[in-house]
Amino acid sequence: MTQADSSSPTGAPSGKTSSFGFRDVDAKEKVQMVRGVFDSVASNYDLMNDLMSAGVHRLWKDATAAKLNARPGEVILDMAGGTGDMARRYSKMARAAQARRGGEDATVIVMDYNAEMILNGVAKGGEPEMAWGVGDAMNLPFPDACLDAYSISFGIRNVSDVAGALKEARRALKPGGRFICLEFSRPTTEALRRAYDAWSFHAIPRIGEWVAKDRDSYQYLVESIRRFPDQATFKRMIEDAGFSRVSVTNLSGGIAAIHHGWAI
């Protein structure tokens, strides 16, 4: 199982290369190439997610939201937030906690590099706590230490410099702030890995061709999953960016994983 549920890339450092599927391209070129992918898939984004994952992505997102545990009065950034699936969860969770124990309204900011994704999210409707904006994970439009939580779901593999995006997330978080990342990862058994590869490489591009009329974009998305670091490697990258107490929670046998850390 997999899905197209990732968001667009962000600003690229000059003179560096970055992976675009199985190819290595100039980092600045990747920004434009992945923007084109998400311009293409935006209108079918949510439908394709459900078709390609048989709805399992919703359970993964529920587990991620539960781990983040949004609270009243917090400022939460849902980076690479796409059409706002995670932000809606965070908003409802914070509001439920507010009803139980009081407190100020939370603010949940949905930010994505791709304007088409944001426009599709706005068209779906939001929650009272939500705000929308186009922005760059490599250059967040926030001062130091202003966020209570930073979330990125199925988006970090599309940034041109993953380490740079992690450091920027750490910069914007308050001391004690939470970082959470839901991303595709490595299945934990060889049998599951083989089955997952067969599904991903053979079925998903075909579904993209039939439903979204765009095989190439979904081929890229499958390849980008394979190029992303495994659980242990990504955990070290998060720690290297300055986060503490980093944990990993495998989902569906490691097809996806939640990485959670603290800005301490």
Side-chain angles (χ1 to χ4, degrees):
M1 290 176 297
T2 187
Q3 57 173 333
D5 194 346
S6 57
S7 207
S8 54
T10 56
S14 178
K16 297 186 72 172
T17 60
S18 187
S19 64
F20 182 81
F22 288 157
R23 290 185 287 154
D24 290 322
V25 299
D26 181 86
K28 286 187 175 295
E29 183 183 2
K30 176 176 177 174
V31 171
Q32 299 306 318
M33 293 169 74
V34 182
R35 176 181 281 173
V37 168
F38 286 93
D39 281 345
S40 175
V41 305
S43 62
N44 293 288
Y45 183 75
D46 297 307
L47 172 62
M48 287 296 296
N49 288 344
D50 281 327
L51 289 174
M52 291 189 295
S53 71
V56 174
H57 73 100
R58 298 175 183 272
L59 302 178
W60 295 342
K61 290 173 180 177
D62 288 345
T64 303
K67 186 171 283 291
L68 185 73
N69 189 25
R71 303 160 190 165
E74 290 191 322
V75 178
I76 300 168
L77 175 63
D78 180 24
M79 189 64 224
T83 56
D85 272 3
M86 293 305 303
R88 292 182 186 88
R89 286 169 168 80
Y90 298 146
S91 297
K92 292 173 182 177
M93 182 172 288
R95 196 181 323 136
Q98 185 183 33
R100 292 193 303 271
R101 63 177 189 249
E104 300 295 321
D105 293 344
T107 299
V108 183
I109 303 163
V110 186
M111 186 162 287
D112 198 287
Y113 195 69
N114 188 282
E116 289 297 322
M117 297 296 291
I118 292 294
L119 290 172
N120 275 272
V122 171
K124 287 181 64 177
E127 300 294 329
E129 296 82 2
M130 290 169 60
W132 303 82
V134 176
D136 183 350
M138 298 295 299
N139 186 23
L140 296 175
F142 304 108
D144 294 353
C146 69
L147 302 175
D148 295 289
Y150 176 110
S151 168
I152 184 165
S153 298
F154 302 113
I156 201 162
R157 74 180 187 279
N158 292 313
V159 302
S160 57
D161 180 359
V162 173
L166 292 171
K167 290 176 182 177
E168 182 68 351
R170 176 65 183 83
R171 178 195 66 77
L173 280 166
K174 298 176 181 177
R178 289 110 65 212
F179 169 87
I180 198 161
C181 177
L182 172 61
E183 188 52 89
F184 292 110
S185 199
R186 296 290 190 278
T188 54
T189 68
E190 183 62 30
L192 181 58
R193 192 174 301 118
R194 287 197 300 268
Y196 178 53
D197 281 348
W199 166 256
S200 298
F201 282 102
H202 295 289
I204 288 176
R206 292 180 182 178
I207 294 172
E209 185 174 16
W210 295 336
V211 177
K213 313 303 181 187
D214 185 353
R215 183 186 183 96
D216 290 346
S217 292
Y218 288 92
Q219 183 69 36
Y220 156 74
L221 293 170
V222 171
E223 292 177 3
S224 71
I225 293 168
R226 296 302 175 277
R227 291 292 299 271
F228 193 73
D230 63 18
Q231 290 92 322
T233 302
F234 189 46
K235 179 177 183 287
R236 289 193 297 271
M237 292 175 70
I238 297 169
E239 292 167 340
D240 289 344
F243 289 98
S244 302
R245 293 161 51 193
V246 180
S247 64
V248 181
T249 303
N250 284 320
L251 303 170
S252 300
I255 290 175
I258 301 169
H259 285 73
H260 183 246
W262 298 80
I264 296 175

